[in-house]
Amino acid sequence: QVQLVESGGGLVQAGGSLRLSCAASERTLSNYAMGWFRQAPGKEREFVASINWTGGTTIYADSVKGRFTISRDNAKNTVYLQMNSLKPEDTAVYYCAKGKTPLVVTTISGVGSWGQGTQVTVSS
């Protein structure tokens, strides 16, 4: 079972930026899509962004489009989420996800492995 370890979360003021990282223990991660999901208190886990196995295709939730950027470095087995212009409504636990296929992963059912999550809190 691949291990995914997120880092980079924290407390930031509205309008600020954070960069999340997700390091994987498995070298074959480059064969799979990767994604980020988030879960706010009292809400269901939701899709944020995904990137296919080559890094050539990315997809974003409408709520973060234009503000967040997902990228990956297959040589380092790491995926990133650059978050700019953060809003209080972005406050959530952010989870790294490995897809079941090389294509983008946008649904919970398409996730093969989850990270433990990292807290992002945006103050107004």
Side-chain angles (χ1 to χ4, degrees):
Q1 182 83 8
V2 64
Q3 288 188 329
L4 303 173
V5 180
E6 299 100 333
S7 61
L11 173 64
V12 64
Q13 288 188 333
S17 298
L18 283 174
R19 188 193 196 203
L20 305 184
S21 298
C22 172
S25 62
E26 184 179 282
R27 291 191 176 186
T28 57
L29 194 70
S30 59
N31 296 333
Y32 296 92
M34 295 296 295
W36 290 92
F37 290 71
R38 67 187 182 186
Q39 187 166 17
K43 295 188 177 181
E44 294 184 350
R45 193 169 298 189
E46 65 176 6
F47 166 74
V48 175
S50 181
I51 188 167
N52 75 334
W53 68 291
T54 65
T57 299
T58 58
I59 186 169
Y60 300 91
D62 288 343
S63 59
V64 306
K65 201 171 295 182
R67 301 187 296 121
F68 290 11
T69 302
I70 188 171
S71 62
R72 67 190 298 163
D73 185 337
N74 286 340
K76 296 182 178 180
N77 298 316
T78 302
V79 63
Y80 306 96
L81 185 68
Q82 178 67 44
M83 305 185 295
N84 299 329
S85 302
L86 282 161
K87 305 175 181 180
E89 51 263 43
D90 293 319
T91 295
V93 176
Y94 283 70
Y95 295 91
C96 178
K98 173 191 168 185
K100 295 178 181 177
T101 76
L103 306 178
V104 293
V105 52
T106 62
T107 63
I108 291 175
S109 63
V111 175
S113 299
W114 293 99
Q116 83 286 354
T118 185
Q119 177 70 46
V120 171
T121 302
V122 184
S123 63
S124 57

